[in-house]
Amino acid sequence: MRVLGRVAAFVGAAAMLVAIPGNARAASPKFSETTAIGTHNAYEKDKYTYWAQALDSGASLLELDVYADSVSRRWRVSHDKPLADDNNCEYADEPGELYSKNRNQDLGSCLDNMAAWNQLHPDHAPIVVKVEMKAGFNNDAGLGPDEFDTLVSQKLGSSVYKPSDLLGGTYTSLDSAAKANAWPARDALKGAFPAVLGAAGGDPRTSRYDASIRPWFVFFDGDAATYVNNAYDTSFYATNHYILIMTDAYGVSPAISSTDPTDAEVAARLALLAKDHASIITSDWSAKSASVLGSVATRS
């Protein structure tokens, strides 16, 4: 197997849906056995007017770019403004306040929006929250991993599917739990936000941040075109049931629109990357309908 320059997430899989005879309902596939669609930089106002609309979109992954602002000691949400907030998150922590309040809020408000939205949609499909730390943590400013943990736990509580949930009191490491395919059924994650943290540094299979007790999984992005166009062997991730997130899905040859491809093109790209062992593919397809962004394929 060729070694990948940048690995994607910390867990993935390959399996087929179990066929059940008669009129019995087919078992829900495990989270590790599916391929779904995510939206890159979903916090940007040109994609969704409000963060709650991003949650409404049907996408299985939404991304937040975060800076640790050492001046104000706040978690800023922005693409390229380390000392300011520039996003569609509202100052709203109640369901009735969504879609109407002032935007450009910090990470705490983004999480408040999620908690409020979750009250309105308690049975929503699992939505992976990809928090990309643009410049890492800043312990000296009180913006380190512990503070991040506390904020996520306070705002989202039990709605976050955590590494400790994967361990389940049975496994001693995330690696062993993944290899045993200890992931829950996708249906069992209804109402959940599996949380992942990117750009934290280090190998996701290490315990640099004592990952087993954190409320998030550490991972690295992997460009879909790099994987597929160069024929990299990604079967390792499927064999070991690791989640593999492939970004910039539009760029795989033949390239399609990065913003508004046809429904058929999205379906074909999802099927193609499911065969290449992706767990989630991402692009800037926010213009697509919920039925398209909510599509889920069987991961090969």
Side-chain angles (χ1 to χ4, degrees), residues 211-235:
S212 65
I213 63 171
R214 297 294 178 187
W216 31 263
F217 295 93
V218 179
F219 74 101
F220 290 81
D221 287 340
D223 179 71
T226 299
Y227 291 144
V228 180
N229 294 351
N230 293 293
Y232 285 172
D233 183 0
T234 55
S235 61

Side-chain angles (χ1 to χ4, degrees), residues 51 64 66-67 72-78 84-87 89-91 102-113 151 155:
W51 180 237
L64 291 167
V66 175
Y67 291 91
S72 67
R73 296 177 181 250
R74 296 173 62 185
W75 302 100
R76 299 292 190 180
V77 177
S78 170
D85 295 300
D86 185 6
N87 58 71
C89 297
E90 307 169 76
Y91 190 70
N102 290 336
R103 298 169 298 172
N104 300 322
Q105 304 299 323
D106 64 10
L107 177 61
S109 288
C110 298
L111 300 178
D112 281 337
N113 294 175
L151 181 66
K155 298 293 188 180

Side-chain angles (χ1 to χ4, degrees), residues 22-281:
N23 295 322
R25 183 179 177 181
S28 171
K30 291 193 173 187
F31 184 70
S32 55
E33 298 169 353
T34 59
T35 306
I37 299 172
T39 299
H40 171 247
N41 288 355
Y43 63 88
E44 293 181 321
K45 295 187 287 290
D46 62 347
K47 291 187 173 70
Y48 301 102
T49 303
Y50 294 104
W51 180 237
Q53 291 174 329
L55 296 164
D56 288 333
S57 71
S60 291
L61 178 148
L62 299 174
E63 182 178 0
L64 291 167
D65 286 347
V66 175
Y67 291 91
D69 179 356
S70 59
V71 176
S72 67
R73 296 177 181 250
R74 296 173 62 185
W75 302 100
R76 299 292 190 180
V77 177
S78 170
H79 181 65
D80 55 7
K81 298 178 181 178
L83 302 179
D85 295 300
D86 185 6
N87 58 71
N88 56 19
C89 297
E90 307 169 76
Y91 190 70
D93 59 8
E94 297 292 337
E97 296 176 332
L98 296 174
Y99 314 102
S100 63
K101 298 296 183 179
N102 290 336
R103 298 169 298 172
N104 300 322
Q105 304 299 323
D106 64 10
L107 177 61
S109 288
C110 298
L111 300 178
D112 281 337
N113 294 175
M114 291 167 59
W117 184 87
N118 209 36
Q119 293 180 51
L120 296 173
H121 307 279
D123 294 323
H124 66 81
I127 301 173
V128 173
V129 183
K130 174 188 170 185
V131 177
E132 183 171 335
M133 300 299 298
K134 301 300 286 186
F137 294 108
N138 189 334
N139 269 315
D140 293 339
L143 298 171
D146 290 337
E147 290 78 15
F148 184 88
D149 292 358
T150 298
L151 181 66
V152 171
S153 297
Q154 287 178 342
K155 298 293 188 180
L156 297 179
S158 60
S159 65
V160 177
Y161 181 78
K162 304 176 292 297
S164 59
D165 297 321
L166 180 61
L167 295 178
T170 299
Y171 301 94
T172 58
S173 71
L174 296 176
D175 191 55
S176 62
K179 289 178 178 177
N181 203 13
W183 291 97
R186 191 173 181 87
D187 281 353
L189 287 174
K190 286 183 177 180
F193 296 109
V196 295
L197 188 84
D203 188 320
R205 286 167 287 179
T206 70
S207 57
R208 175 174 179 177
Y209 293 121
D210 200 6
S212 65
I213 63 171
R214 297 294 178 187
W216 31 263
F217 295 93
V218 179
F219 74 101
F220 290 81
D221 287 340
D223 179 71
T226 299
Y227 291 144
V228 180
N229 294 351
N230 293 293
Y232 285 172
D233 183 0
T234 55
S235 61
F236 168 84
Y237 300 99
T239 300
N240 290 283
H241 311 295
Y242 294 159
I243 299 301
L244 177 61
I245 298 176
M246 289 190 181
T247 63
D248 295 337
Y250 70 92
V252 174
S253 183
I256 59 178
S257 172
S258 64
T259 57
D260 194 19
T262 67
D263 292 0
E265 287 173 329
V266 173
R269 187 54 43 92
L270 178 64
L272 174 66
L273 297 183
K275 291 181 179 178
D276 276 287
H277 314 298
S279 301
I280 301 174
I281 66 173

Side-chain angles (χ1 to χ4, degrees), residues 5-26:
R6 299 178 68 204
V7 298
F10 188 63
V11 211
M16 301 297 290
L17 291 175
V18 178
I20 298 178
N23 295 322
R25 183 179 177 181

